[in-house]
Each structure stands twice: as structure tokens, then as C-alpha cells.
Amino acid sequence: MDKDAAEYTSSLIFDRNLFEYDIMTDFAHLIALNECGLISNTELKKLLSLLLQLYREGFNKLEASYDVEDVHIAIEGWLAEKVGNIAGKLQTARSRNDQVATDLRLAMREKLLELLDSLLSFERTILTFAERSSSKLAIGFTHLQHASPITFGHYFLAYFDMLLRDLNRAISAFDVTNRSPLGSGALATSSFRINRKKTAELLGFDSLVENSLDAVSSRDFLLDSTYASLSIMLTLSKLAEDIIIYSTTEFSIFELPDSLSSTSSIMPQKKNPDVAEIVRARTGMVVGEFTSIASILKALPIGYNRDLQEVSVHSFQSVRTATESIRIMNKVVKGLKINEERVREILSDGFSNATDLAEGLVKDYNINFRDAHRIVGKTVKLAIERKKALVDIDPKVLEGVIFEVTGRKVKVDKKYIVQLLNAERVLYERGTGGPSEREVKRMVDERKENLKRVEEEVKRRKSRVDESKKNLFDIVKKIVR
Ligand code: ARG
């Protein structure tokens, strides 16, 4: 190949990520070749011991130049240099097409386990935070306008639940990934009867990607990992945006620890939420990665096409970004200070309890909700004109509006309004899944159980991967000895 073309099409720079997995794939494949008599015991021993040596010495030992097509060629070349002809047997019953698909799956499942580990740890932080702030007053927004008082327990549990769904997406990406394409050959298997189930088991896969054409043509498992990462980033970007807004002087609801914010090089009073801003920006990058992959896969004819190579880098990058972003946001949330005084101050001069006045009119004055909504709307308008909070409105004014809307003369007590609009009472009244301390505590308890269950799920997968890896290396070492 022309040197420039070879360099242009090479995947060697990315393939550093696949190095150790390519060797593991070789191990499993060689053992299977030996089992069906395609290589002798001596050849097996020789090749395994060299590959084990290479594994220990690492990628750089290959000393491959960047016009080498990929890591598979580089390793085969390295072997050929050491043992000559026997190296040529390695590719019996195998193609780089099933090989790279196998390597990618082995590598990605471990990246997903790291992602899951950081996400579980973040979930624990959030749940603790939610529990500690189960009764801490917060403001709920819609359209970024004051909507209703809530609690920070309720607020953080919302993030907990979003991230738990994200976590389940990552687990399901893992399960889609953890299947073996090895033995599919270029697309149609081969005439050698190697045992695909055996290699799958040696590599700790749950099952086969059985159809060999599907196995070499598909990268949807990488799209799944990228989508899981994207959906995590979308959740994190929401939290990041909240943090950015809530920590402005105007809101002053959150305060970031000094160690996680920066200052301006000219304005010493500034405390900037840089981490949250970078999370927000990197979310955009992951959107791009997802789009890149989908665009590469779109209308690609079935069978292996070199385009597939270009999917890998985006999916691994997106998972890395998600993992790093979770880790840093975990720190940010741990260090977050909530200014509850400020929340009370904002709530006291706002109208976030207007719905509760309307609901009170329904319950205690038998007014239908639409009328009650109209009454409170008009009352709020009058309160704003008089520069008063809703709670401070003269009961006579409210009585007047009720008459205007319903034609009914009723008596409203000042004490009634004050009690009705008290934020704690408002919260207390709220129903299932709502912001009351009672509901938050119930939800926290349930979620502690849920989290334990998911932790077990992840642990089970991780142990299986770790054990199979250890097992494979034990087998190899035993043969080499
Ligand atoms: N570097 C390639 C990739 O990542 C490996 C497979 C190459 N196969 C081929 N038929 N050229 O997809």
C-alpha cells in the first residue's frame, strides 16, 4: 500500500486500547486451534509463551510504525519475527474481522464496568445527600419560574432516579456487548471446525453473536454504550446547569467549594463553576460522538466495511467522557453547600404557593378548580400591583375576587390564608412521589434497596469478567510452563 494511504487508513493509534484484548483473543483462539488438531502442542506452547511475554512488555514493544494497518497485523508481524513460519498458523479459521469485533467487545465491557462503578458511587453520594436534606426547603421551577416549594430531598431523588435509569442502560449495553463474534471469520466462518462456544467461554462471554455475518457487520453494541454515555451526560448536564444557575449571586441557593471552582484572573470576587461548565460542553461532544457513529453506520452495506473501524474511537471516547464526568460531579455534589435561608427568603416574597391557595379554595369553599385557578390568578395580579406577597394579601381583596368570579359571598380568615400557605404545610400535604419529608424518607428507603440490588447485578458481571480473565491466564501459564 502507498505509505500515505496506509498511514491515513491505519487504526494503530486507537488500537493501543485493544492491545491486551487482542492477545487474549489470540490465547483463546490458539487453544481452540490446538484442540481441533490445527496446531501441535509444541506450536501452541511456543506461540502462547511469546504472546504472554509481549503482553507483559506492552504495546510499545511492538515498535510498529504508523503505516502498519492495525494492531492485529502488528502483533502477527512481531510473532513472525520471533518464530518465523509458525506465526502464520495463528490466522487459521480467523479473520481480522471477527478478531477486531471480539477485541472491541472485550475492551468495551471493561470500560462499561468502570463507568458503572463510578455511577454506583455517585448514586450513593446522591442518596446520602437526599436523605440528609429530606426536609430541607427548596424551590421547584417550571419554565425556570417559581412553581412550588419542594425539598432538596425530593430534588436529589429526582436525579437519583434519572441516573438509575441511565445505569440500567449501561448494564443493558454491557449485556449486548458481552457476546462472542470469534470464529465468524471474514463473514461466513470457515471450513475448520473450531469450537466457537469454547472460545466464547474462555473469554468470559455470556453467549455467541451467532450469525457470522451479523457478528462481523454490527457495531450497534458500541452505539448502545455511546447512548448509555450520552444519556448519562444529558442527566449530568441538567445537574450542571442547575449548579451554574443556583450558584449565581442572584440565586445564591448553592455554594461550590473553593477547590472545585476557579476565580477570574482579573476580578477577585469571582467564583466560577468551571467544572459544571465543562460537563455542559462535553455533553455536546458526546452528542457529536453519538451522531458520528450513527452517521457512519447509516446505510453501510452488510458485511465488513472499513468504515466500521472509525466507529470505535468515538464510542470509547464517549464512555471515557461519561466516566470522568461522573467522577468529578461526584466530588462537586459532595462539596455542595445549600443555602436554606436564601430559599426561605425567595419563597417568602414569591408566589410559589399559589396552587395551594387554589387547592384550599376547592377543599374548604367548594369552588371548582378552574374558578379557583382564576380567582388566585387575579389575586396574584393584585398582590403584585400592591407589592405584596400572596400570604400578605388582605382577606377582603380575596373575598372580593371570589365574589367577582363565582357570584358567591364568602368569609375568608387571615389566619386561614397564613396557615394554608405555610411552606411546611404545603409540603406536608403533597402526595405519592411528592416532596414531603415523609415521602422522601419512604423513597430513600426503597431506593437503598434498589441500589443494593443493582450493585449486586454489576458485581456479578464484574466477577465473571475478572474470573474468566484470571482463568484464561492460568490456563495459558500452565501450558507455557
Ligand atoms: N483495523 C480494522 C478495524 O478496526 C481491523 C479489521 C480490518 N479488516 C479488514 N478486512 N481490513 O476494523
Side-chain angles (χ1 to χ4, degrees):
M1 205 177 195
D2 170 89
K3 195 172 168 1
D4 291 335
E7 260 183 34
Y8 181 73
T9 53
S10 168
S11 60
L12 202 61
I13 294 180
F14 169 80
D15 284 0
R16 186 181 274 278
N17 297 293
L18 301 182
F19 173 75
E20 58 177 300
Y21 305 101
D22 200 62
I23 293 179
M24 281 168 60
T25 302
D26 289 345
F27 286 164
H29 184 63
L30 285 168
I31 292 168
L33 285 179
N34 173 252
E35 274 187 8
C36 55
L38 289 163
I39 58 170
S40 70
N41 290 348
T42 336
E43 288 166 339
L44 176 69
K45 192 171 166 176
K46 182 83 214 153
L47 290 170
L48 287 182
S49 85
L50 277 169
L51 284 166
L52 192 60
Q53 176 199 333
L54 178 62
Y55 181 90
R56 286 177 179 145
E57 288 174 346
F59 180 82
N60 291 340
K61 201 68 189 176
L62 287 173
E63 288 173 3
S65 67
Y66 286 112
D67 55 354
V68 170
E69 195 175 323
D70 50 40
V71 71
H72 327 295
I73 299 276
I75 292 178
E76 207 185 318
W78 182 88
L79 270 181
E81 234 172 65
K82 304 273 172 207
V83 286
N85 264 344
I86 325 173
K89 297 202 171 189
L90 180 61
Q91 215 61 353
T92 320
R94 189 175 73 172
S95 145
R96 279 180 297 148
N97 296 353
D98 58 339
Q99 193 179 349
V100 72
T102 308
D103 296 359
L104 286 167
R105 286 169 185 269
L106 291 174
M108 183 50 90
R109 72 178 182 186
E110 287 188 18
K111 297 294 167 209
L112 286 172
L113 287 172
E114 278 171 34
L115 175 75
L116 284 164
D117 182 62
S118 61
L119 199 46
L120 283 171
S121 147
F122 190 33
E123 284 288 67
R124 285 191 285 269
T125 302
I126 294 183
L127 201 55
T128 310
F129 220 92
E131 188 169 31
R132 276 208 316 247
S133 52
S134 56
S135 63
K136 224 176 233 178
L137 214 49
I139 310 173
F141 297 92
T142 61
H143 311 272
L144 210 53
Q145 310 270 341
H146 297 179
S148 180
I150 56 170
T151 49
F152 273 106
H154 191 230
Y155 172 89
F156 280 107
L157 276 184
Y159 278 103
F160 178 89
D161 285 1
M162 287 183 251
L163 288 167
L164 195 64
R165 289 197 295 279
D166 293 335
L167 220 154
N168 281 316
R169 287 186 188 103
I171 291 179
S172 103
F174 177 96
D175 290 341
V176 171
T177 300
N178 200 27
R179 307 208 170 136
S180 178
L182 195 60
S184 294
L187 78 164
T189 72
S190 73
S191 60
F192 304 107
R193 288 283 167 270
I194 49 147
N195 186 346
R196 286 191 67 192
K197 287 211 174 109
K198 167 82 192 203
T199 51
E201 201 186 296
L202 283 172
L203 292 169
F205 285 120
D206 293 329
S207 60
L208 301 180
V209 189
E210 192 173 28
N211 184 304
S212 59
L213 178 57
D214 173 29
V216 296
S217 308
S218 303
R219 292 291 184 272
D220 52 297
F221 68 101
L222 293 181
L223 193 63
D224 283 357
S225 300
T226 306
Y227 175 57
S229 309
L230 172 57
S231 109
I232 290 165
M233 290 306 289
L234 292 174
T235 308
L236 293 185
S237 73
K238 191 189 283 291
L239 180 59
E241 182 69 2
D242 281 356
I243 289 172
I244 292 165
I245 294 174
Y246 290 9
S247 62
T248 56
T249 315
E250 288 72 13
F251 276 70
S252 295
I253 293 174
F254 284 163
E255 196 191 325
L256 287 167
D258 289 348
S259 62
L260 293 166
S261 35
S262 77
T263 187
S264 157
S265 50
I266 178 168
M267 299 163 286
Q269 83 283 11
K270 290 285 285 289
K271 197 163 155 181
N272 302 325
D274 297 40
V275 171
E277 287 169 324
I278 294 293
V279 165
R280 192 168 60 179
R282 299 238 165 110
T283 304
M285 290 163 62
V286 177
V287 170
E289 266 133 16
F290 183 85
T291 311
S292 297
I293 295 175
S295 312
I296 294 169
L297 294 179
K298 178 188 169 291
L300 208 59
I302 197 161
Y304 179 84
N305 298 276
R306 194 69 183 273
D307 311 48
L308 291 176
Q309 170 180 294
E310 302 301 287
V311 167
S312 315
V313 61
H314 297 291
S315 63
F316 280 75
Q317 183 57 45
S318 71
V319 175
R320 176 159 19 148
T321 302
T323 307
E324 287 171 0
S325 305
I326 294 164
R327 285 190 188 141
I328 196 70
M329 283 300 264
N330 195 353
K331 272 197 171 180
V332 169
V333 169
K334 274 186 183 154
L336 213 54
K337 275 210 206 83
I338 295 175
N339 185 349
E340 209 188 354
E341 272 321 295
R342 175 65 186 145
V343 174
R344 285 181 188 281
E345 195 181 300
I346 297 173
L347 281 176
S348 71
D349 58 30
F351 297 90
S352 62
N353 43 18
T355 312
D356 298 276
L357 180 55
E359 288 180 4
L361 294 178
V362 171
K363 280 188 231 164
D364 304 316
Y365 289 87
N366 196 25
I367 295 172
N368 78 58
F369 188 77
R370 261 305 145 240
D371 283 347
H373 183 278
R374 202 167 302 137
I375 291 164
V376 176
K378 283 174 184 279
T379 310
V380 166
K381 202 166 162 205
L382 292 171
I384 291 171
E385 276 167 22
R386 286 158 210 208
K387 297 197 169 40
K388 282 191 164 161
L390 189 55
V391 68
D392 297 325
I393 197 83
D394 185 343
K396 292 267 167 298
V397 173
L398 183 57
E399 288 168 3
V401 181
I402 293 174
F403 180 73
E404 190 192 323
V405 173
T406 66
R408 279 171 53 198
K409 284 200 171 138
V410 298
K411 187 97 197 68
V412 183
D413 211 25
K414 176 87 195 165
K415 256 207 342 248
Y416 170 78
I417 302 180
V418 172
Q419 251 172 29
L420 188 68
L421 298 187
N422 171 275
E424 264 85 8
R425 192 211 64 88
V426 163
L427 286 173
Y428 184 78
E429 293 281 320
R430 297 291 158 127
T432 307
S436 71
E437 184 180 1
R438 175 187 69 245
E439 269 302 282
V440 169
K441 286 197 161 140
R442 182 189 64 73
M443 289 194 275
V444 165
D445 285 342
E446 260 185 46
R447 277 146 186 78
K448 277 185 188 165
E449 289 306 308
N450 294 348
L451 191 57
K452 244 190 250 149
R453 234 171 294 134
V454 203
E455 274 167 353
E456 283 306 314
E457 293 260 302
V458 173
K459 216 162 107 195
R460 198 155 44 78
R461 287 168 174 82
K462 180 157 169 32
S463 322
R464 186 154 147 63
V465 167
D466 291 347
E467 275 163 28
S468 69
K469 201 164 175 174
K470 185 175 173 310
N471 196 33
L472 179 63
F473 276 88
D474 284 349
I475 295 174
V476 168
K477 282 180 206 155
K478 213 169 130 199
I479 299 173
V480 165
R481 235 185 274 129

